[in-house]
Amino acid sequence: MKLTLAEALTIPLLQQCEMIAGNQGLGRTIMSVNSFDAPDVMRWLKTGDLVLTTGYIFLNNEQALTNLVYDLAERNCAGLGIKTAHFPNSLPQDMILAANKMAFPIFRIPNELSIADLIQTILRELLTQQTKTGTNLQKLAVNDSHDFSTYSVLQHIPKEILKEYYSAFLSPLISHDQENHTDFLNTLEVYLNCGAKTTEAAQTIGVHRNTIHQRISKIKELLGSDLDNGKTNFRLQLAIKMYHLNKY
């Protein structure tokens, strides 16, 4: 199943948002979410991106707002969410006309809503929609296909949110590795990527399978997690990906 902008706007948190223009484009599909408050972000945007911004960088530059609509529409982005507190006289009429002409949706984000919360909510819904297609959760966590890679979604999440998520699942393991010069996090990653198969993980790392048994036993103890649970393993794989992304 695909997540259209019209469907995203029915999510409870997003119901507080208000359509401004481009209603004919509500059927656009959201593939990922991007947030920016810097003018050089355009080169990173791609098809299916839902773009969210405070709009501050466009203060006193109405032409830039209109150009933004054309640029996003040409890149086939999913839509634009913008906070309008910086525009006491509402958004420029030329911007509204451009959005309607290009059937490019623009919606107003209430000033009290956190963009980080919106990103997290939409990404959660994207992952939920992806699982409804019958894709195995574990494959989703480890498969970096061109059309819908986990990294292509996660890279748009603010680093503080990435850190908060992975720390909640991996902190004991990360601390143990740092304090004892172990490599348990890598062992866990390989083990999960091998479908929790001890022999395959041992061959990948190049150690005896009993070593993997011992490490996994200690990892379970440190994390207090049952690595025989598919949902737990998916969350751990997601957290590991967030950990890697946060380092760059």
Side-chain angles (χ1 to χ4, degrees):
M1 296 178 63
K2 295 180 179 180
L3 179 66
T4 65
L5 180 56
E7 291 167 337
L9 290 173
T10 66
I11 299 172
L13 187 64
L14 275 79
Q15 287 179 4
Q16 301 177 53
C17 298
E18 177 188 357
M19 283 298 300
I20 299 176
N23 293 55
Q24 292 182 337
L26 282 171
R28 289 174 180 257
T29 298
I30 301 172
M31 298 299 294
S32 58
V33 191
N34 208 324
S35 172
F36 75 91
D37 282 297
D40 62 347
V41 73
M42 197 60 61
R43 57 180 173 164
W44 304 111
L45 299 178
K46 57 189 181 299
T47 297
D49 274 353
L50 176 61
V51 181
L52 309 178
T53 180
T54 65
Y56 182 76
I57 62 171
F58 300 107
L59 189 63
N60 301 321
N61 194 343
E62 294 188 357
Q63 186 58 49
L65 277 171
T66 302
N67 293 341
L68 175 67
V69 171
Y70 283 113
D71 287 340
L72 294 180
E74 287 176 1
R75 283 169 170 76
N76 200 25
C77 292
L80 173 67
I82 185 170
K83 291 192 174 185
T84 58
H86 303 299
F87 308 98
N89 297 320
S90 75
L91 295 176
Q93 186 62 26
D94 284 347
M95 180 189 187
I96 304 301
L97 291 174
N100 288 330
K101 174 183 176 182
M102 304 296 289
F104 183 77
I106 301 176
F107 60 90
R108 179 184 292 108
I109 301 173
N111 196 49
E112 63 273 13
L113 277 188
S114 162
I115 285 182
D117 288 343
L118 288 175
I119 291 174
Q120 191 173 30
T121 298
I122 296 168
L123 289 175
R124 186 184 301 116
E125 184 64 22
L126 280 172
L127 290 172
T128 299
Q129 292 294 329
Q130 183 70 7
T131 62
K132 288 180 180 178
T133 65
T135 302
N136 181 272
L137 285 176
Q138 188 171 6
K139 289 183 179 179
L140 175 62
V142 300
N143 176 31
D144 291 324
S145 61
H146 174 73
D147 57 340
F148 194 91
S149 72
T150 307
Y151 280 121
S152 72
V153 175
L154 297 182
Q155 67 181 337
H156 302 303
I157 302 178
K159 284 200 169 185
E160 61 270 20
I161 296 179
L162 291 176
K163 186 173 183 180
E164 181 180 353
Y165 185 93
Y166 77 69
S167 295
F169 291 95
L170 301 174
S171 280
L173 209 55
I174 295 170
S175 297
H176 188 278
D177 279 350
Q178 292 173 343
E179 295 168 6
N180 299 278
H181 306 290
T182 52
D183 198 21
F184 284 173
L185 183 60
N186 180 63
T187 297
L188 176 62
E189 182 175 12
V190 172
Y191 178 76
L192 294 176
N193 287 350
C194 290
K197 296 177 182 178
T198 302
T199 301
E200 187 174 336
Q203 292 173 346
T204 301
I205 296 176
V207 297
H208 194 276
R209 65 190 309 272
N210 287 341
T211 301
I212 297 297
H213 272 303
Q214 293 168 1
R215 291 181 185 179
I216 293 301
S217 178
K218 182 62 176 179
I219 289 169
K220 288 180 178 180
E221 179 185 332
L222 288 168
L223 298 182
S225 298
D226 176 13
L227 300 186
D228 296 322
N229 183 292
K231 290 184 178 179
T232 297
N233 290 356
F234 168 69
R235 294 188 182 104
L236 288 172
Q237 285 177 306
L238 197 58
I240 291 170
K241 285 186 178 291
M242 290 184 176
Y243 172 76
H244 288 317
L245 271 175
N246 200 58
K247 293 192 298 183
Y248 299 103

